[in-house]
Amino acid sequence: MADHAPGLRSSFLRVMNLIPADGIRLTDLATRASMTKQAMGEFVATLEQEGFVRVLADPHDRRVRLVTPTPRGIELQKASAAAIEELEREWRERVGPRRWATTCAVLAELGR
């Protein structure tokens, strides 16, 4: 995955994975990531500079900024999802399906 996003920290990958293909409002993305709008604006500016997202005015409300993944960003999202899936598969094999299910349940509970 490093080939897809050289120099980007894992926190940028996390943000990329929160952006749906049809886009999201910057403020909603900040909420989804539990970040301030200002901090998210900085993340998005970096992602835009690197060519992973496009920021456009919402056609329904020109005051609102919509963040959408570029084709390069979609490629990064797919690579990230594949890497996570592979890692989870390896962990499930190491601890067994029953313990893996327990781990997932605990993490889901903590995420509430």
Side-chain angles (χ1 to χ4, degrees):
M1 189 167 39
D3 295 341
H4 294 282
L8 285 186
R9 296 185 315 264
S10 60
S11 54
F12 285 94
L13 297 175
R14 179 177 172 266
V15 168
M16 277 302 303
N17 289 329
L18 296 175
I19 302 171
D22 60 346
I24 187 171
R25 292 170 160 220
L26 180 67
T27 54
D28 293 339
L29 182 58
T31 299
R32 189 178 279 189
S34 299
M35 294 173 65
T36 66
K37 183 180 172 188
Q38 293 76 16
M40 182 55 71
E42 291 177 26
F43 266 74
V44 167
T46 299
L47 290 169
E48 184 175 32
Q49 182 179 356
E50 294 294 324
F52 294 110
V53 299
R54 191 175 302 120
V55 180
L56 306 168
D58 185 327
H60 305 292
D61 185 346
R62 307 292 289 166
R63 299 167 297 171
V64 174
R65 294 174 37 195
L66 272 182
V67 180
T68 57
T70 63
R72 184 173 185 218
I74 292 170
E75 192 177 303
L76 177 63
Q77 289 173 324
K78 288 178 182 176
S80 176
I84 290 168
E85 187 176 308
E86 175 63 19
L87 183 61
E88 288 179 351
R89 184 191 59 73
E90 289 176 17
W91 288 349
R92 186 173 41 255
E93 287 176 2
R94 282 180 70 184
V95 301
R98 187 170 173 201
R99 287 178 62 204
W100 178 249
T102 300
T103 299
C104 291
V106 169
L107 291 173
E109 185 178 327
L110 291 172
R112 288 186 207 149

